[in-house]
Amino acid sequence: MGSRGDAPKLRLETLLALGLDQRTAENALVNSKVTANLAAVIAEAGISGCDKSVGNLLYSVATKYPTNALVHRPVLINYILSTKIKNPAQLDAALSFLTNIGPDSLDVKKFEEACGVGVVVSIEEIKSTVAEVLKENMEAIMEQRYHINVGNLCGQVRKRHPWGDAKATKEEIDKRLAEILGPKTEADNIKPMKKKKEKPAKVEEKKVAATTAAPPSEEELNPYTIFPQPEENFKVHTEIFFSNGDIWRAHNTKEILEKHLKATGGKVMTRFPPEPNGYLHIGHAKAMFIDFGLAKERNGHCYLRFDDTNPEAEKKEYIDHIQEIVSWMGWEPYKVTYTSDYFQDLYDHAVELIRKGLAYVDHQTAEEIKEYREKKMNSPWRDRPIEESLKLFEDMRRGLIAEGAATLRMKQDMQNENKNMSDLIAYRIKFTPHPHAGDKWCIYPSYDYAHCMVDSIENVTHSLCTLEFDIRRPSYYWVLAALGLYQPYVWEYSRLNISNTVMSKRKLNRLVTEKWVDGWDDPRLLTLAGLRRRGVSSTAINSFIRGIGITRSDNSLIRVDRLEYHIREELNKTAPRTMVVLRPLKVVITNLEEGKVLDLDGKMWPDAPAEDASSYYKVPFSRTVYIEKTDFRLKDSKDYYGLAPGKSALLRYAFPIKCTDVIYGDNPDDIVEIRAEYDPSKTSKPKGVLHWVAEPAPGVEPLKLEVRLFEKLFKSENPAELEDWLGDLNPHSKEVIKGAYAVPSLASAVLGDKFQFERLGYFAVDTDSTPEKLVFNRTVTLRDSYGKAGPK
C-alpha cells in the first residue's frame, strides 16, 4: 500500500531549537504534510537541538526528500549531523542521487562522489577562480558596473567549484568588484527600470504586435517534454493523508514497475476516455491533443476507451460519432476499448477489497450518505463482518436486492478533509441492460472505482485529465495501492474555457434537446461536429490547441477570437477566392450594348501567376450587374470608397463604373436600381474596389445561394457563470440570407469545399446544400480582432 508513518505533534519551541527562524517554524506547523515529515526527520536524527546550518539542511530533507527512497533517509541525516554534507549544494546533489536509485541498495562510494563528501575547496582556490571569471566578464563589468548580475558571476564560479563555500564566493566577488570599479557613482545607485508585470486578467487580453518575436522555447516546439518516461515511474505519485495521522505514499515497487515495462516494452501508453453520453466539443480536442499527441510523439500507443459505466446515459449514436470524430481530428487509436470490457475484473477486485476489510455493503440512502459525509460520521454498516458484505455483494450481483437498497462503498476515511476520500461508492444496483455488455450485469461500477483500475489493467503510463480531477488523485491511488496494482503517472492540465459559449455537456444537452440550437452540429456550437459543419478543419483546431499549450497553470477564459485567428490563418492559405453578393442591388451599365457579355478572369489566389490558367476563374461582365446594397449611398464623403451619385468605383477584375442615375421605388428610401457608365479604357483610377456579380446572359438571373451568417451564440463572455445563462443567448447569432448571388463557377461547389468570398469572409458548403439549392455557412470573417501579430 506504500509507506506508512505517524505524525506526532510538534511544538514551536522544538523547531526554533533547530535554528529555524520564527516565520519558517510557524508556517511549518500549519502544514500537516511538512509537520509529519519534520517529526519523522527529528525522530530519525535523535536530536532536540542543533546549530542553524544543520537545522536548515534537516528542514530541507523534510520538505524535499524523495519518498521513493525513504529507506536511505537515516543515512543522509547522519551525513548532515557529521557535517560530511554541510551546504545546500551538496544536499541537492544527494537528493538527486537518492531520487534516481529509489529503494535500491546504496553504493556509498558513488553517493559520496556525487555529493562532494570530503572535497575541500580552499579560499585560495575560490579567489583564483573568481579572478578568472571576472577577467572573462570584464567587458560586461565595465559597461554595466554595479548593475552587473552578481548571481550570474557566482553561478560561473559554482560551475567550477560546486562544493565551494557560496558565502565566501559572494564576498570575494563583491570585494574584487569594488577594487575594479571603485566607489559607487550616482548613476550606480539608480535602480534599472524593470518591466512592469501585467496583472493576470480573467479574460485573456488581445495580443499586440511585437517588433521581434522571441525564439520559441523547447516546450513550445515540443509541448510533451514535460512528461516523464515510463521507466521513471517509480517515484511517489502522491501522499495520502489520513485523519488518524497515517500517510500512504503511493508508488510503484521495483517489481511492479518491471512487470509493467515488460508488458508494454517500455512504450508510452495513454488513453482518451470519453463518456458516450453526448457529442465531443473543443475541450475534448485538447484532451485528444494531449493523449494521442503524447503517444505519437513518443512512438507509443493511445487507447480510445469508452467510459461506459452508466448504462442509462449511453447511446450508440454517441459511440459512432466519437469514433468518427476522433479519426477526423487526425488521431488513430491503438485499440477501441470499453470500461465494460473489464466488468468481471472490476467485480473480482471489489471482492478482494471486501476480503481485505477495505469495502463494505451499505444501506444508507443518497440523502443519508450526503448528511453523514457533511458530519464526517461513519455509516452504521461500515464495520459489518466481512463475510456479511461478501454475501450481500453477491446478492447484489444476482439481482436479489432492490435498486437503491444497497451500494458497495470503499472503506477510506470518513473524517478526511478531502471529501473524495469519504468512503466513495464503488457499485450501485441498476436494473438496466447495458448497450455494450447486454443484460449480464445489474450492478455497475462508479467512475471513481473503475477509472483508475482500468488505467492500471491497460498498463496506461500517463493518465492525463483536467484540473478538476486533482482532488480525486488521493482516491485514485488509494484504490490501486489498496490492491497492490500498478500505478500510472497522473497529471492534470487546465480545462479549456472559451468566451461566449458553454461547454458543459449538461448545458449543451439542454441547448440541443430544448431546440435553442439546430442539433449537436449547429455551427454556432463549439462541438467538433458544429465546428466541422461551420467549415473549420481539424488542423486549425489542433494548431489552436498547440498554441494555448497544455500547462496546469492557465485557467483563464480564452477569447474565441484566438480560435478564429488560427482558422483564418489556415483558410487564407487554402481557400480559393470568388465573388458573392449577399444583398444585391441592381446596376445597369447604360453604355454597354444590349446582349454583350465579356468573359473576364478572376484570381483564385492573390499571387496567381499570369501563365497558370488553373489559378483563375471566369467572371461574366454584362449590362446588368449586382453590387452590395451597403456599397451604395446617396451622400458621399471623403472617407467613403463605395458608389454614390456622380462618383466612380472599380469593379473587381473588371472596369471602373460611375453612377449616373438612381431609380427609386414607391418611396424615397426604396432604391431599386442604379444606372451607371463603365470606363472600358480604365483611364479613371477610383480608390474604391467593389465585389460584384453579373447576369451570365441577358435576362438570366445569376446563380442563387442561401448563405448563413453566424455570430457569437451568447452575448456575455462567460455565460456559464450566469444563473439565467439561457437568457444570455444572442438573438442575432444566426442570419439566413436566401437571395445571395454568386459567379457561375460556384455552381459545382460540393460539401467540403471552402472559399473566400471577397470582402465578406470565409465560407463553406453546408450539409443541407444540394446541386439545386446551394447553401453556404460563414466560417469566419476577414476581420482579425485578435491582433495583427496573432499568437506565437
Side-chain angles (χ1 to χ4, degrees):
M1 289 183 185
S3 307
R4 296 191 182 211
D6 293 325
K9 294 286 183 185
L10 283 180
R11 297 169 55 141
L12 180 63
E13 296 75 20
T14 307
L15 301 187
L16 294 176
L18 293 180
L20 300 183
D21 61 68
Q22 182 94 9
R23 187 176 176 183
T24 302
E26 288 172 349
N27 287 341
L29 288 173
V30 297
N31 186 318
S32 59
K33 180 178 178 180
V34 172
T35 304
N37 288 339
L38 263 173
V41 167
I42 291 169
E44 288 170 13
I47 57 171
S48 55
C50 58
D51 65 49
K52 185 175 181 178
S53 61
V54 171
N56 283 332
L57 292 177
L58 292 176
Y59 179 81
S60 293
V61 170
T63 55
K64 296 181 181 180
Y65 194 85
T67 41
N68 61 310
L70 282 171
V71 65
H72 303 306
R73 189 166 66 183
V75 177
L76 177 60
I77 290 171
N78 285 334
Y79 272 87
I80 293 169
L81 295 176
S82 63
T83 67
K84 289 180 179 178
I85 289 177
K86 52 193 174 187
N87 60 51
Q90 283 184 290
L91 180 58
D92 286 345
L95 294 174
S96 176
F97 183 90
L98 294 171
T99 297
N100 288 329
I101 68 161
D104 294 348
S105 59
L106 180 67
D107 186 320
V108 173
K109 185 179 179 183
K110 287 182 179 177
F111 173 71
E112 292 187 347
E113 283 176 5
C115 48
V117 172
V119 177
V120 177
V121 181
S122 66
I123 294 296
E124 287 70 27
E125 286 177 292
I126 289 174
K127 286 181 177 180
S128 173
T129 305
V130 166
E132 290 173 13
V133 167
L134 295 185
K135 186 177 178 182
E136 292 165 8
N137 291 270
M138 192 57 68
E139 188 177 336
I141 290 169
M142 299 310 294
E143 181 184 341
Q144 299 173 39
R145 291 183 55 79
Y146 285 102
H147 293 146
I148 191 79
N149 187 335
V150 175
N152 179 271
L153 298 174
C154 290
Q156 293 180 46
V157 175
R158 192 161 53 247
K159 275 187 178 178
R160 302 176 203 191
H161 295 305
W163 318 122
D165 189 317
K167 186 179 178 184
T169 299
K170 171 72 164 55
E171 289 173 351
E172 179 63 18
I173 288 175
D174 288 342
K175 177 185 167 188
R176 293 300 305 275
L177 286 176
E179 290 172 359
I180 294 167
L181 300 173
K184 285 188 176 182
T185 65
E186 191 174 335
D188 291 328
N189 288 319
I190 297 172
K191 288 186 177 180
M193 291 289 289
K194 288 185 178 178
K195 278 191 176 179
K196 193 175 180 181
K197 283 189 178 178
E198 292 183 12
K199 290 181 180 178
K202 186 176 181 183
V203 178
E204 176 193 69
E205 295 297 325
K206 294 180 184 180
K207 299 283 183 179
V208 179
T211 50
T212 54
S217 66
E218 184 182 1
E219 191 174 311
E220 286 171 322
L221 292 171
N222 180 2
Y224 307 108
T225 55
I226 59 176
F227 298 115
Q229 295 292 348
E231 61 270 18
E232 297 177 87
N233 192 8
F234 54 81
K235 300 174 186 176
V236 169
H237 299 107
T238 197
E239 291 182 315
I240 306 170
F241 293 92
F242 291 85
S243 54
N244 66 356
D246 280 359
I247 305 170
W248 286 12
R249 295 182 172 92
H251 66 281
N252 287 315
T253 64
K254 186 177 180 181
E255 294 73 26
I256 286 176
L257 183 59
E258 283 177 354
K259 183 181 176 183
H260 158 78
L261 292 172
K262 186 176 180 182
T264 62
K267 282 185 177 291
V268 164
M269 305 291 290
T270 60
R271 82 289 174 273
F272 173 58
E275 292 179 75
N277 61 358
Y279 277 48
L280 301 186
H281 55 65
I282 196 167
H284 294 105
K286 180 174 181 178
M288 281 187 258
F289 182 84
I290 298 172
D291 293 325
F292 284 100
L294 172 61
K296 185 176 180 181
E297 192 272 334
R298 300 279 178 89
N299 195 29
H301 300 301
C302 180
Y303 289 93
L304 168 56
R305 183 205 306 154
F306 288 104
D307 181 18
D308 59 344
T309 54
N310 183 2
E312 294 170 334
E314 281 115 37
K315 290 183 183 176
K316 188 174 186 304
E317 172 196 353
Y318 300 141
I319 291 172
D320 293 343
H321 156 74
I322 290 169
Q323 292 196 64
E324 189 269 330
I325 213 76
V326 166
S327 177
W328 177 74
M329 284 298 298
W331 306 115
E332 186 179 347
Y334 167 57
K335 287 180 183 176
V336 177
T337 61
Y338 297 78
T339 297
S340 55
D341 293 340
Y342 307 100
F343 274 179
Q344 186 63 51
D345 298 282
L346 298 177
Y347 176 83
D348 293 342
H349 283 308
V351 171
E352 187 181 349
L353 280 178
I354 297 171
R355 291 190 190 282
K356 288 186 170 188
L358 295 173
Y360 60 97
V361 172
D362 188 33
H363 302 291
Q364 287 186 303
T365 64
E367 292 75 20
E368 288 171 335
I369 290 174
K370 183 180 178 183
E371 179 190 348
Y372 274 56
R373 278 180 174 157
E374 287 171 355
K375 294 178 179 178
K376 296 186 177 180
M377 291 169 53
N378 289 344
S379 163
W381 312 102
R382 193 176 200 265
D383 295 317
R384 73 189 326 160
I386 288 172
E387 290 304 319
E388 196 175 297
S389 279
L390 285 171
K391 182 184 182 303
L392 287 167
F393 189 49
E394 173 65 13
D395 288 347
M396 286 170 62
R397 185 189 69 79
R398 293 172 60 199
L400 302 178
I401 300 178
E403 193 167 317
T407 59
L408 182 72
R409 294 177 66 182
M410 296 177 274
K411 194 182 285 189
Q412 294 170 307
D413 184 9
M414 287 297 293
Q415 289 71 46
N416 204 297
E417 292 301 319
N418 185 340
K419 296 298 181 188
N420 287 281
M421 285 290 289
S422 299
D423 288 13
L424 298 182
I425 290 173
Y427 272 89
R428 290 183 177 90
I429 301 168
K430 282 185 191 237
F431 293 110
T432 304
H434 192 279
H436 188 68
D439 57 3
K440 181 181 178 182
W441 299 92
C442 60
I443 55 171
Y444 293 101
S446 67
Y447 171 89
D448 291 292
Y449 173 73
H451 187 72
C452 55
M453 214 174 300
V454 178
D455 277 352
S456 181
I457 292 168
E458 290 187 338
N459 273 304
V460 165
T461 56
H462 300 74
S463 181
L464 310 171
C465 51
T466 47
L467 271 172
E468 65 263 32
F469 291 96
D470 181 52
I471 58 170
R472 294 163 107 151
R473 193 192 279 207
S475 173
Y476 181 102
Y477 283 119
W478 182 93
V479 176
L480 299 180
L483 291 164
L485 298 175
Y486 160 75
Q487 300 169 17
Y489 168 81
V490 172
W491 192 81
E492 300 89 2
Y493 53 87
S494 59
R495 189 187 184 99
L496 179 55
N497 300 304
I498 298 181
S499 68
N500 303 95
T501 193
V502 293
M503 288 200 294
S504 87
K505 277 191 179 177
R506 184 179 59 81
K507 288 185 168 66
L508 286 171
N509 195 53
R510 277 197 68 184
L511 288 174
V512 173
T513 55
E514 295 176 16
K515 302 195 182 304
W516 295 99
V517 294
D518 304 323
W520 285 99
D521 65 345
D522 188 303
R524 292 168 291 178
L525 295 176
L526 291 193
T527 58
L528 295 175
L531 286 166
R532 176 170 61 179
R533 184 172 180 182
R534 188 163 177 155
V536 180
S537 72
S538 59
T539 51
I541 296 169
N542 283 326
S543 173
F544 163 69
I545 299 296
R546 177 180 282 273
I548 60 176
I550 56 175
T551 64
R552 287 174 58 90
S553 56
D554 183 19
N555 261 326
S556 66
L557 194 65
I558 305 295
R559 296 178 66 92
V560 71
D561 309 28
R562 187 166 178 177
L563 170 62
E564 290 176 352
Y565 166 84
H566 287 276
I567 298 167
R568 194 178 287 111
E569 281 289 288
E570 180 179 271
L571 289 172
N572 185 44
K573 298 169 188 170
T574 59
R577 277 58 172 166
T578 191
M579 288 196 293
V580 170
V581 174
L582 297 181
R583 299 169 182 88
L585 175 61
K586 187 176 180 181
V587 180
V588 176
I589 312 296
T590 56
N591 63 333
L592 183 64
E593 61 188 83
E594 293 273 4
K596 186 169 184 180
V597 178
L598 302 176
D599 267 340
L600 307 177
D601 288 324
K603 287 184 177 182
M604 295 168 69
W605 311 102
D607 53 355
E611 67 278 2
D612 182 9
S614 65
S615 295
Y616 292 81
Y617 64 95
K618 289 299 177 184
V619 185
F621 178 72
S622 63
R623 186 177 170 85
T624 302
V625 302
Y626 295 88
I627 64 170
E628 294 286 353
K629 283 183 178 177
T630 52
D631 281 336
F632 177 80
R633 65 168 66 161
L634 291 170
K635 259 190 178 177
D636 193 13
S637 62
K638 284 184 179 180
D639 59 348
Y640 174 62
Y641 297 107
L643 206 58
K647 185 173 184 176
S648 295
L650 176 65
L651 296 182
R652 184 84 159 132
Y653 307 123
F655 307 95
I657 63 169
K658 183 177 183 179
C659 175
T660 57
D661 198 6
V662 180
I663 309 300
Y664 296 93
D666 295 335
N667 63 70
D669 296 326
D670 184 16
I671 299 171
V672 295
E673 187 178 301
I674 303 296
R675 300 284 169 85
E677 293 181 352
Y678 86 112
D679 175 10
S681 63
K682 301 184 182 180
T683 51
S684 58
K685 303 292 182 186
K687 289 184 179 179
V689 180
L690 311 182
H691 63 282
W692 56 279
V693 171
E695 288 185 350
V700 177
E701 187 182 29
L703 178 66
K704 211 168 185 179
L705 308 178
E706 178 177 311
V707 178
R708 299 169 182 176
L709 306 179
F710 302 105
E711 298 293 343
K712 295 177 175 74
L713 185 57
F714 290 90
K715 294 177 283 185
S716 301
E717 285 186 316
N718 196 358
E721 285 188 340
L722 303 175
E723 189 173 337
D724 182 21
W725 60 278
L726 286 170
D728 190 55
L729 281 163
N730 177 9
H732 308 296
S733 62
K734 179 181 179 181
E735 180 184 3
V736 179
I737 300 170
K738 292 185 178 290
Y741 284 156
V743 293
S745 59
L746 264 186
S748 59
V750 295
L751 186 64
D753 287 347
K754 301 168 189 178
F755 302 89
Q756 185 195 101
F757 292 177
E758 295 210 39
R759 298 180 66 227
L760 297 176
Y762 295 98
F763 293 76
V765 178
D766 185 69
T767 51
D768 290 340
S769 190
T770 65
E772 295 75 30
K773 182 190 173 185
L774 291 169
V775 181
F776 283 83
N777 294 324
R778 183 171 67 192
T779 307
V780 69
T781 61
L782 295 176
R783 181 185 68 256
D784 182 2
S785 57
Y786 180 55
K788 295 288 184 185
K792 290 180 183 178

